[in-house]
Amino acid sequence: MQRRDRVLVVGILGAIALPALAVGPTPVGEADVTFSYMTDAGPRILNSSVDYSGQTVNDIIPLGGDPNIGYFNSANSFGRRNLIDGAVRENESLLTHALFKPPSHTTDLFPDIVDNGSVTLEVRNIHLTEPGFVQRDTVMLHKMWDADQVDILPNFYVNIHNYDGGPDAVRDFDDFFPMLFTDFPAPNYDMNALSGSSEIEIFGDGTDMLGFRITVPYDRFRNFEDVDQEVPAGLPAPFGFLEPFHFHVEFAVSNVPEPATAIMLLLGSTLVLSRRKRAPMA
């Protein structure tokens, strides 16, 4: 199989995931999506209300009416964790929030973004069928490059998929090798990426109305194999490195908290009971 055909097969696997068993909290109705970044002319803000029926690129909508930024939400049918047996557990649902360039993949990801800028994706009012806890050790940012564009580079990337993890270590880490994670020729993952300048906040954890906000510096869209090579003219590289054409944020939601959260809740409950026992009777 030629490299181009092989990479195309890998690319398809990156975009279409196997269905997962959905027995955990699942989203119903639409969530409010806001995508924003700073331009020289001021902040650019796109808003849409989007349900979770997305499965493939055929379900893309122009976010905020902007044809340059395609988007969909998905529940249990799109996402990298679905490709690993057992990585989505029986009491969980996998929520995915995906952005795409137009089919040509030749436009800039974020037109007119300022140098050293960041992008922010915020999704609010995710209405679940039952109270849900975000499993923070499943939060992952996936980025994918166009194989044909990569082949044009003087030093093409071996891996057209990159992964950022956090804010905790990715659960089931060893199970992601070799289907998703690899160390050749360089690691295609960074499990400490979503901390510090890349931040994720969770809203309404443990309720039936969740939300999150993730802020990612533009430089995080540089392939981990990039060696400051000169990108040929005609490829989308506004700040000197080839852009991916797709990225998404995914995480699992469970009807029980992850172990670290459960311990904190237990300690909090114990502290409250202890205080009550010490409090004088009215």
Side-chain angles (χ1 to χ4, degrees):
M1 181 180 291
Q2 295 183 354
R3 177 182 181 273
R4 181 171 177 176
D5 294 334
R6 174 176 54 81
V7 172
L8 178 59
V9 171
V10 175
I12 292 173
L13 288 176
I16 303 174
L18 301 176
L21 182 64
V23 295
T26 53
V28 292
E30 297 181 335
D32 297 323
V33 180
T34 301
F35 185 73
S36 60
Y37 61 90
M38 184 62 68
T39 73
D40 289 330
R44 186 154 191 256
I45 303 173
L46 303 174
N47 296 286
S48 288
S49 292
V50 187
D51 66 20
Y52 278 80
S53 62
Q55 298 184 28
T56 72
V57 292
N58 294 326
D59 301 313
I60 290 172
I61 66 164
L63 185 61
D66 183 349
N68 186 73
I69 299 181
Y71 182 85
F72 67 69
N73 293 335
S74 179
N76 298 304
S77 57
F78 186 95
R80 306 299 286 172
R81 186 167 283 272
N82 277 350
L83 298 174
I84 305 299
D85 186 34
V88 180
R89 299 174 182 174
E90 290 186 354
N91 62 337
E92 295 178 342
S93 292
L94 184 68
L95 274 57
T96 303
H97 307 83
L99 293 97
F100 302 83
K101 288 186 177 185
S104 68
H105 303 165
T106 57
T107 57
D108 292 347
L109 264 176
F110 320 118
D112 304 320
I113 189 172
V114 297
D115 193 7
N116 296 317
S118 296
V119 299
T120 298
L121 174 65
E122 182 171 339
V123 182
R124 295 269 193 167
N125 299 321
I126 306 172
H127 187 197
L128 302 175
T129 53
E130 59 180 307
F133 295 87
V134 173
Q135 307 301 288
R136 293 171 187 260
D137 53 2
T138 67
V139 175
M140 186 162 61
L141 172 66
H142 168 243
K143 297 159 287 186
M144 182 178 177
W145 281 259
D146 182 304
D148 289 334
Q149 292 178 347
V150 168
D151 283 346
I152 299 173
L153 296 175
N155 298 300
F156 66 77
Y157 310 140
V158 173
N159 298 298
I160 61 171
H161 301 276
N162 278 183
Y163 304 91
D164 290 353
D168 306 303
V170 167
R171 193 183 73 192
D172 314 308
F173 178 76
D174 291 340
D175 296 332
F176 283 77
F177 294 88
M179 180 173 284
L180 300 185
F181 292 173
T182 180
D183 291 316
F184 176 82
N188 69 339
Y189 57 88
D190 181 351
M191 293 301 100
N192 297 311
L194 301 184
S195 59
S197 59
S198 297
E199 300 176 352
I200 184 164
E201 303 172 72
I202 306 296
F203 312 112
D205 208 21
T207 75
D208 63 358
M209 192 68 74
L210 286 182
F212 73 91
R213 179 192 299 122
I214 182 169
T215 300
V216 182
Y218 179 81
D219 193 61
R220 294 303 310 176
F221 297 98
R222 181 192 298 266
N223 191 288
F224 294 145
E225 296 174 42
D226 185 83
V227 289
D228 294 324
Q229 64 185 318
E230 185 174 346
V231 178
L235 295 180
F239 293 102
F241 56 87
L242 180 65
E243 290 184 330
F245 76 89
H246 157 71
F247 68 97
H248 76 257
V249 179
E250 67 178 66
F251 53 84
V253 176
S254 174
N255 52 21
V256 296
E258 62 179 357
T261 303
I263 291 172
M264 293 299 293
L265 292 173
L266 178 61
L267 290 175
S269 299
T270 302
L271 180 60
V272 169
L273 290 174
S274 176
R275 287 177 175 174
R276 287 179 179 174
K277 289 179 179 179
R278 294 198 305 269
M281 297 297 289

